[in-house]
Amino acid sequence: MQIPNTIEQSFKVDYNYKLHFTTNLFDSSNSLLADILKSYNAENKVKILFVIDEGVYKAHPLLENQIENYCELNNSTIELKAILVVPGGEQVKVGDKHLNKVLQGINDFNICRHSFVAVIGGGAVIDMVGYACAIAHRGVKLLRIPTTVLSQNDSAVGVKNSVNYFGKKNFLGTFALPYAIINDNAFLETLEQRDWVSGISEAIKVALIKDKSFYNEIVEQASKLKNRDVQSMQYLIYKCALLHMEHISKGGDPFENGSSRPLDFGHWAAHKMEHMTNYSVRHGEAVALGMAIDVTYAKLIGLIDEATLQSVLQVIKQVGFNLKLPIPKQDVDELLNGIEEFREHLGGKLTITLISEIGKKHDVHDIDTLKMKEAVLAFYK
Ligand SMILES: NC(=O)c1ccc[n+]([C@@H]2O[C@H](COP(=O)([O-])OP(=O)(O)OC[C@H]3O[C@@H](n4cnc5c(N)ncnc54)[C@H](O)[C@@H]3O)[C@@H](O)[C@H]2O)c1
Ligand SMILES: [Zn+2]
């Protein structure tokens, strides 16, 4: 028999996950978590390992106790294995120290592919724990419980996770879906003002590239948002998460095989800025500045008019961002290297998303470096 040169393989997999909204998840009267675990396994207890962001742990001193009581109350559904605490913020993503602690926990407490890790924290802790869950046993079940605005409306609702390695942000990571995400708005009460504001930039971003009416709503609600109006924030988070999730499911490229990443509008400068400031700038703060630079550039190359530029800069400031660059002026050329590094991380041809009007993205494949430098320098005034 002649052996063929090729065996062709092709199959499709359906991906599903839900984002739930609740208040006081671990209140004894709140059945959401138990219901989610029952939906996975109605017959047997599900093993669960909690990993908590230290910032959340300290701001919510009763949390550990509440989790223990909740699991005890629902002990026909939940088998609590342990509660680990890891540092909050970008430091937790650096190298493998904290990653190893989570992997060790998964091993020590016999978390298998049919057991859960529930991570409670900001985007950094969620990225790191998500990565641990994706690689341990080639994937254990992950419940994300994001506790910052940015993680509730953007980073935790998607399909990516990562740690920083070789000094490079998100160098190690996978596309791996959570089993579910639970946004508990009670966690937001303890955020520092900068973390309350920081995530609003991702909502402005997604509105600018996709949804003019959402943009107008943000403009209208800007001062309420800045002043911690809970209802305005809940709506912003809901709408931003929805647009984000729709982009993943309907945008045609959930695992980013193409070169265009519209959700990374404003992000080439943001990623570089975070790195150059040793992450003293929050991701959302850097995105606000990155968008401000890119809309200024869009105006300089004639893509948008002055009124559009001023509207965008104004709303960014009105929700509470400071549009002053946090790096010394002599390092601007280094910041501009972020364009090439962004291309490298994506692979393939350079694609920078700009806007041609509010609510409409516009991809460009060449950047006029002199004009981009002029755009950057505008934020030293
Ligand atoms: N995976 C993705 O698709 C994706 C997308 C965007 C951003 N990210 C990542 O998300 C990270 C940024 O996340 P972030 O903005 O949530 O910041 P963060 O995770 O760095 O948290 C900021 C600070 O807030 C504290 N904190 C968290 N929740 C709190 C609460 N409820 N009360 C009091 N303190 C609390 C943390 O301990 C930390 O000190 C970055 O690493 C970024 O790269 C990932
Ligand atoms: Zn982002």
Side-chain angles (χ1 to χ4, degrees):
M1 179 201 167
Q2 175 89 30
I3 298 175
N5 290 332
T6 317
I7 297 176
E8 203 172 301
Q9 169 80 309
S10 168
F11 57 87
K12 289 197 167 71
V13 181
D14 273 335
Y15 291 102
N16 300 289
Y17 61 90
K18 285 187 184 140
L19 165 59
H20 304 269
F21 297 91
T22 192
T23 307
N24 296 323
L25 178 65
F26 299 106
D27 199 288
S28 56
S29 63
N30 192 330
S31 67
L32 180 63
L33 178 61
D35 292 343
I36 290 172
L37 295 172
K38 260 188 229 150
S39 76
Y40 178 70
N41 188 339
E43 324 262 279
N44 303 307
K45 284 185 192 209
V46 178
K47 283 187 276 188
I48 188 162
L49 170 69
F50 280 86
V51 183
I52 305 181
D53 179 319
E54 195 174 7
V56 181
Y57 187 83
K58 286 188 173 150
H60 297 262
L62 302 178
L63 181 61
E64 187 172 17
N65 234 293
Q66 286 166 337
I67 293 173
E68 284 167 356
N69 291 341
Y70 187 91
C71 294
E72 186 51 38
L73 194 71
N74 293 283
N75 65 9
S76 56
T77 310
I78 309 176
E79 183 183 345
L80 175 62
K81 298 302 288 187
I83 298 176
L84 307 179
V85 179
V86 294
E90 198 69 25
Q91 54 174 323
V92 83
K93 281 173 70 172
V94 177
D96 52 18
K97 179 172 169 205
H98 306 293
L99 172 69
N100 279 338
K101 177 170 173 176
V102 177
L103 291 172
Q104 188 76 56
I106 291 173
N107 183 50
D108 292 350
F109 298 105
N110 302 317
I111 299 299
C112 66
R113 286 193 191 166
H114 300 284
S115 313
F116 281 72
V117 172
V119 52
I120 305 178
V125 170
I126 289 187
D127 266 2
M128 182 277 282
V129 174
Y131 180 58
C133 290
I135 60 175
H137 301 300
R138 300 197 179 98
V140 301
K141 298 279 170 290
L142 172 67
L143 269 181
R144 297 189 189 134
I145 305 169
T147 58
T148 60
V149 171
L150 186 125
S151 53
Q152 291 199 355
N153 72 4
D154 183 282
S155 83
V157 306
V159 294
K160 297 187 276 183
N161 54 59
S162 62
V163 293
N164 306 339
Y165 221 75
F166 300 131
K168 291 185 175 163
K169 187 164 167 89
N170 301 335
F171 184 84
L172 291 180
T174 63
F175 292 96
L177 282 71
Y179 183 78
I181 306 131
I182 305 171
N183 279 357
D184 178 347
N185 59 50
F187 281 118
L188 304 181
E189 284 166 21
T190 54
L191 285 174
E192 276 181 32
Q193 182 64 10
R194 70 181 298 200
D195 288 306
W196 173 272
V197 169
S198 162
I200 302 174
S201 61
E202 301 281 9
I204 297 174
K205 171 200 77 181
V206 80
L208 278 174
I209 57 170
K210 282 179 180 292
D211 191 328
K212 186 173 181 177
S213 65
F214 183 35
Y215 177 83
N216 290 337
E217 284 168 338
I218 299 174
V219 170
E220 218 170 89
Q221 301 287 312
S223 67
K224 279 189 168 174
L225 285 164
K226 181 180 176 180
N227 294 314
R228 299 184 83 121
D229 180 81
V230 173
Q231 259 190 326
S232 305
M233 186 55 97
Q234 278 175 18
Y235 175 74
L236 180 109
I237 288 172
Y238 163 78
K239 185 78 194 192
C240 180
L242 178 69
L243 287 169
H244 196 113
M245 288 169 75
E246 281 181 352
H247 177 83
I248 293 169
S249 59
K250 298 182 185 155
D253 192 16
F255 301 136
E256 298 177 0
N257 288 311
S259 299
S260 166
R261 288 202 307 201
L263 293 178
D264 274 352
F265 171 46
H267 277 57
W268 73 263
H271 286 160
K272 186 69 185 174
M273 221 179 288
E274 287 179 83
H275 183 69
M276 286 174 75
T277 58
N278 204 14
Y279 300 98
S280 64
V281 178
R282 293 278 199 268
H283 179 72
E285 294 167 343
V287 170
L289 276 156
M291 281 192 299
I293 291 169
D294 282 354
V295 285
T296 304
Y297 176 79
K299 164 70 182 60
L300 288 173
I301 61 166
L303 254 183
I304 58 169
D305 58 21
E306 181 67 23
T308 307
L309 170 64
Q310 289 311 325
S311 165
V312 177
L313 295 181
Q314 195 176 328
V315 73
I316 294 175
K317 285 190 233 166
Q318 277 176 342
V319 298
F321 289 103
N322 170 5
L323 287 186
K324 269 195 104 157
L325 279 171
I327 50 168
K329 212 171 182 173
Q330 66 265 29
D331 292 347
V332 166
D333 287 333
E334 175 58 15
L335 178 69
L336 291 168
N337 288 338
I339 299 171
E340 174 52 22
E341 288 168 20
F342 184 74
R343 189 200 62 73
E344 205 177 284
H345 182 66
L346 254 79
K349 114 169 158 183
L350 176 70
T351 305
I352 299 284
T353 296
L354 300 173
I355 53 163
S356 55
E357 58 185 84
I358 305 278
K360 200 156 180 214
K361 79 171 183 85
H362 180 98
D363 285 348
V364 295
H365 302 288
D366 289 303
I367 293 291
D368 178 333
T369 314
L370 278 180
K371 286 215 164 81
M372 188 58 94
K373 189 166 183 175
E374 194 182 333
V376 172
L377 289 172
F379 297 95
Y380 282 100
K381 283 176 193 155

